[in-house]
């Protein structure tokens, strides 16, 4: 057993000793690529979405130096026809690039990777005679003399690209080393499969991937691996039942990712931490990751600030990810920023509509932290004041609600034209940001004979009335209440609760002031 070759199954054994959600079906996907033109895979997904667990699982499955049958016997992969064919049949090279980025910080890092790998592999194959000055030549000699092909697994492949982004020579040397290893004709002769996992897809030069022989699976294009990128709704429901946890809370905090055709994916690490912790909260807050997000969004390319505000208000933004160079140090447009945030897990991506959005409460909280770190004081103030506005509605204080909406509208002039009800709805979504803690907020919910502008339905175990808001530009707040009753908007809401507040808000273009009426249904 070496440091990098044939390291055994201890890593995955530790995973199985913990609570494990069965994602072993990923193995069958990789098995189908072995010895084919699709055998080189780069699987990129956000932090804390199970990259390393998947890499350890594959290492334990393929590694010929151990017997892993017992680790997989009760998992789904054991029922797959390919299970026994490839179980513990290959020499496996396992490389975690973060073990090098924590030790080396210059362009010599590539030489260090090559040197340590070469020495470790030489010790494992003392009987093989080869040129020991070049790793690829050594692997080729071993393959020719033993008749074996390697499975090469690289965890956090892009760590060098991210950690040494400002050192272009180091990054270029690393990418060229990967090319030497995997893009040459010898690569197909040496490797049964290569599996790289990281946060970013492979860096592009101009418009082409630096390693275009790799099939890429990402948060933008997950292909057939989509259900292995996170926890599905069914998996989280089962966990919630097992732990006697509130599924609705888990859903509010960690759901919302759309990955390929999987419409409801949860952040797996956050779900497990919440179950272990006994309650839901943001598990990103302690990382300080919002600093990086703040750096991106305050660039304010093409109105980036406006889009972040709209997404905090529950809206979606158009994005074109194809032009991104897969390099966090090369950000040239709003599309680049939005695409980075998708890969980092701060935004979800709907490929059908080419739109992105904030997926859940955990991420929304981090976006708010990023807004504060970006010194967008007016937006931050509006969010802070949203608690007071909700309380004013619940207390029936019409003047306080009107003043609160006035203030919110004044503070959002950068994104609003003061001209229509859609703009006012966006203002109110921000103004009622705090309400999302206890309410499910719906924009233009179909109710009765039309669409209510804003509906707040209390979450499970929340003892508060539902709130139905109708917005009017030019027309009076009393007219808004009349429309609510005339079109029977409360009918649909009463499916959830019999306690309902009707709120009419109007805007006068001449005075630039709002009025409010509040009554019970």
């Amino acid at each position: 057993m070496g440091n990098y070759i044939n390291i055994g199954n201890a890593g995955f054994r530790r995973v199985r000793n913990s609570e494990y959600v069965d994602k072993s079906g990923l193995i069958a996907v990789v098995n189908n690529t072995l010895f084919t033109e699709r055998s080189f895979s780069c699987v990129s997904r956000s932090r804390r979405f199970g990259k390393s667990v998947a890499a350890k699982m594959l290492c334990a499955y393929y590694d010929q130096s151990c017997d892993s049958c017992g680790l997989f016997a009760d998992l789904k992969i054991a029922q797959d026809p390919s299970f026994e064919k490839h179980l513990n049949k290959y020499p496996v090279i396992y490389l975690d690039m973060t073990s090098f980025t924590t030790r080396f910080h210059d362009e010599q890092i590539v030489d260090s990777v090559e040197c340590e790998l070469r020495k470790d592999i030489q010790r494992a194959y003392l009987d093989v005679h080869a040129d020991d000055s070049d790793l690829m030549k050594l692997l080729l000699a071993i393959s020719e003399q033993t008749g074996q092909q390697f499975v090469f697994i690289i965890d956090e492949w892009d760590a060098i690209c991210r950690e040494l982004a400002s050192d272009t020579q180091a990054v270029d040397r690393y990418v060229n080393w990967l090319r030497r290893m995997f893009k040459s004709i010898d690569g197909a002769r040496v490797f049964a499969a290569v599996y790289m996992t990281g946060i970013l897809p492979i860096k592009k030069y101009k418009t082409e991937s630096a390693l275009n022989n790799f099939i890429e699976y990402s948060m933008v294009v997950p292909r057939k691996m989509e259900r292995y990128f996170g926890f599905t709704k069914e998996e989280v429901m089962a966990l919630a039942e097992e732990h006697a946890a509130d599924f609705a809370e888990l859903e509010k905090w960690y759901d919302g990712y759309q990955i390929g055709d999987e419409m409801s994916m949860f952040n797996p690490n956050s779900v497990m931490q919440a179950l272990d912790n006994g309650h839901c909260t943001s598990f990103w807050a302690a990382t300080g990751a919002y600093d990086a997000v703040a750096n991106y969004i305050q660039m304010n390319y093409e109105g980036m600030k406006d889009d972040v505000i709209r997404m905090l208000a529950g809206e979606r933004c158009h994005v074109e990810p194809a032009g991104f160079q897969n390099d966090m140090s090369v950000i040239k447009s709003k599309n680049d920023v939005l695409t980075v945030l998708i890969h980092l897990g701060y935004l979800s991506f709907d490929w059908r509509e080419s739109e992105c959005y904030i997926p859940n409460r955990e991420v929304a909280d981090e976006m708010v932290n990023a807004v504060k770190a970006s010194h967008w004081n007016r937006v931050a103030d509006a969010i802070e004041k949203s608690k007071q506005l909700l309380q004013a509605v619940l207390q029936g204080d019409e003047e306080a609600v009107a003043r609160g909406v006035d203030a919110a509208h004044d503070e959002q002039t950068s994104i609003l034209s003061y001209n229509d009800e859609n703009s006012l709805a966006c203002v109110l979504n921000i103004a009622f940001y705090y309400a999302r803690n206890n309410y499910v907020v719906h924009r233009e919910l179909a109710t009765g004979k039309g669409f209510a502008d804003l509906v707040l339905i209390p979450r499970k175990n929340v003892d508060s009335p539902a709130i139905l808001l109708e917005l009017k530009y030019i027309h009076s707040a009393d007219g808004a209440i009349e429309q609510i009753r005339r079109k029977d908007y409360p009918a649909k809401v009463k499916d959830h609760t019999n306690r309902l507040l009707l709120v009419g808000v109007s805007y006068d273009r001449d005075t630039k002031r709002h009025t409010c009426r509040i009554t019970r249904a």
Side-chain angles (χ1 to χ4, degrees):
M1 184 178 295
N3 295 319
Y4 306 105
I5 186 165
N6 296 333
I7 65 172
N9 57 23
F12 189 57
R13 188 174 298 280
R14 291 178 68 89
V15 171
R16 289 306 317 269
N17 288 340
S18 308
E19 188 167 17
Y20 176 66
V21 173
D22 188 353
K23 292 294 182 180
S24 63
L26 173 65
I27 296 171
V29 178
V30 179
N31 281 349
N32 286 334
T33 71
L34 294 175
F35 306 106
T36 72
E37 292 294 321
R38 302 174 62 84
S39 62
F40 287 39
S41 304
C42 181
V43 184
S44 56
R45 41 180 145 164
S46 307
R47 286 186 178 92
R48 307 181 326 134
F49 270 71
K51 298 185 301 295
S52 295
V53 170
K56 291 172 183 175
M57 177 182 71
L58 293 172
C59 181
Y61 174 76
Y62 290 116
D63 194 331
Q64 67 180 9
S65 70
C66 57
D67 180 0
S68 298
C69 185
L71 284 175
F72 292 98
D74 62 335
L75 300 182
K76 294 175 184 177
I77 185 59
Q79 307 305 315
D80 191 87
S82 68
F83 175 62
E84 293 187 2
K85 180 179 180 180
H86 300 292
L87 177 65
N88 300 133
K89 294 294 196 303
Y90 304 96
V92 173
I93 302 171
Y94 183 90
L95 180 62
D96 181 354
M97 289 307 305
T98 59
S99 68
F100 288 89
T101 55
T102 55
R103 290 183 288 150
F104 305 99
H105 303 283
D106 55 37
E107 61 184 276
Q108 300 306 313
I109 191 172
V110 176
D111 294 334
S112 301
V113 171
E114 166 110 6
C115 181
E116 291 192 22
L117 281 177
R118 192 173 63 242
K119 288 181 179 179
D120 196 46
I121 293 169
Q122 281 178 318
R123 286 193 293 268
Y125 290 92
L126 294 175
D127 295 335
V128 172
H129 303 287
D131 181 349
D132 62 2
S133 64
D134 181 82
L135 177 59
M136 193 61 195
K137 289 182 179 179
L138 174 61
L139 294 175
L140 185 58
I142 292 171
S143 185
E144 289 176 343
Q145 294 178 42
T146 65
Q148 293 182 310
Q149 288 182 273
F150 294 86
V151 171
F152 200 148
I153 299 170
I154 304 181
D155 194 14
E156 302 286 0
W157 84 268
D158 57 335
I160 289 179
C161 302
R162 290 185 280 108
E163 300 297 329
L164 303 180
S166 60
D167 190 339
T168 56
Q169 287 186 317
V171 173
D172 287 345
R173 286 194 65 188
Y174 176 55
V175 171
N176 286 330
W177 180 77
L178 293 174
R179 281 175 167 164
R180 167 76 178 98
M181 292 295 297
F182 304 132
K183 197 173 180 182
S184 67
I185 192 171
D186 292 336
R189 299 164 61 187
V190 169
F191 301 112
V194 177
Y195 182 95
M196 301 197 308
T197 184
I199 294 175
L200 291 177
I202 295 169
K203 178 179 171 65
K204 294 179 182 177
Y205 287 90
K206 295 184 179 179
T207 59
E208 184 177 335
S209 169
L211 297 165
N212 58 11
N213 58 324
F214 274 75
I215 304 300
E216 298 204 56
Y217 308 80
S218 71
M219 299 293 281
V220 173
V221 185
R223 303 178 194 269
K224 293 182 179 180
M225 291 190 184
E226 51 205 357
R227 69 177 295 105
Y228 307 113
F229 272 47
F231 286 172
T232 64
K233 185 174 184 177
E234 294 73 22
E235 289 166 342
V236 177
M237 290 179 72
L239 285 168
E241 182 176 0
E242 182 179 347
H243 288 263
D246 186 343
F247 172 76
E249 277 296 291
L250 293 169
E251 188 176 39
K252 174 181 75 173
W253 278 90
Y254 312 121
D255 188 18
Y257 291 97
Q258 180 177 334
I259 303 179
D261 289 331
E262 290 289 337
M263 305 298 291
S264 181
M265 296 292 282
F266 291 67
N267 182 318
N269 184 276
S270 294
V271 168
M272 299 308 295
Q273 288 205 58
L275 294 175
D276 185 59
N277 197 47
H279 66 271
C280 296
T281 186
S282 174
F283 295 102
W284 282 9
T287 67
Y290 61 83
D291 288 338
V293 178
N295 289 336
Y296 287 126
I297 63 177
Q298 68 186 0
M299 294 175 181
N300 203 24
Y301 285 114
E302 306 162 61
M304 179 68 196
K305 174 182 175 181
D306 301 350
D307 282 351
V308 170
I309 294 171
R310 290 185 183 279
M311 286 189 287
L312 283 171
E315 297 189 5
R316 293 181 171 212
C317 294
H318 181 77
V319 60
E320 295 289 348
F324 180 50
Q325 297 296 301
N326 300 332
D327 186 336
M328 290 183 182
S329 65
V330 182
I331 304 295
K332 299 180 179 179
S333 67
K334 181 174 70 173
N335 275 321
D336 287 350
V337 174
L338 293 174
T339 305
V340 167
L341 295 180
I342 291 168
H343 287 301
L344 290 175
Y346 284 93
L347 297 176
S348 183
F349 177 63
D350 181 346
W351 64 270
R352 293 173 183 80
E353 303 296 332
S354 199
E355 292 178 337
C356 59
Y357 57 94
I358 295 173
N360 53 47
R361 167 73 186 280
E362 180 179 42
V363 176
D365 280 359
E366 288 307 292
M367 280 293 192
V368 170
N369 287 335
V371 166
K372 292 176 180 177
S374 302
H375 306 296
W376 296 355
N377 295 331
R378 288 188 172 183
V379 179
D381 288 345
I383 292 171
E384 289 294 327
K385 293 175 181 176
S386 63
K387 182 176 181 178
Q388 299 171 17
L389 183 61
L390 176 62
Q391 289 302 316
V393 170
L394 295 174
Q395 293 167 6
D397 190 336
E398 296 171 340
E399 291 186 4
V401 172
R403 288 195 304 270
V405 176
D406 278 342
H409 213 162
D410 288 341
E411 289 160 356
Q412 306 309 321
T413 53
S414 67
I415 64 168
L416 300 168
S417 60
Y418 274 113
N419 283 336
D420 55 37
E421 293 175 15
N422 185 63
S423 295
L424 182 54
C426 186
V427 164
L428 286 176
N429 264 298
I430 288 292
F432 282 96
Y433 180 84
Y434 177 83
R436 296 172 188 270
N437 291 335
N438 294 322
Y439 287 88
V440 178
V441 180
H442 297 277
R443 176 89 175 269
E444 294 187 341
L445 180 68
T447 57
K449 301 175 183 177
F451 293 86
D453 289 319
L454 206 63
V455 178
L456 286 69
I457 297 175
R459 296 184 183 276
K460 181 181 177 182
N461 300 325
V462 173
D463 185 23
S464 295
I467 300 171
L468 198 157
L469 293 97
E470 182 67 16
L471 315 173
K472 284 298 177 185
Y473 167 64
I474 301 176
H475 299 291
S476 70
D478 289 324
I481 296 293
E482 181 184 347
Q483 178 174 316
I484 292 173
R485 296 189 184 281
R486 185 177 67 253
K487 294 192 175 182
D488 198 21
Y489 288 167
K492 181 67 176 291
V493 180
K494 286 181 179 178
D495 292 343
H496 302 274
T497 177
N498 288 322
R499 300 169 61 197
L500 175 61
L501 291 178
L502 309 183
V503 182
V505 175
S506 67
Y507 174 70
D508 187 310
R509 184 173 58 181
D510 295 328
T511 64
K512 293 189 176 180
R513 287 293 176 263
H514 302 80
T515 56
C516 173
R517 290 291 179 268
I518 302 174
T519 186
R520 296 189 179 275

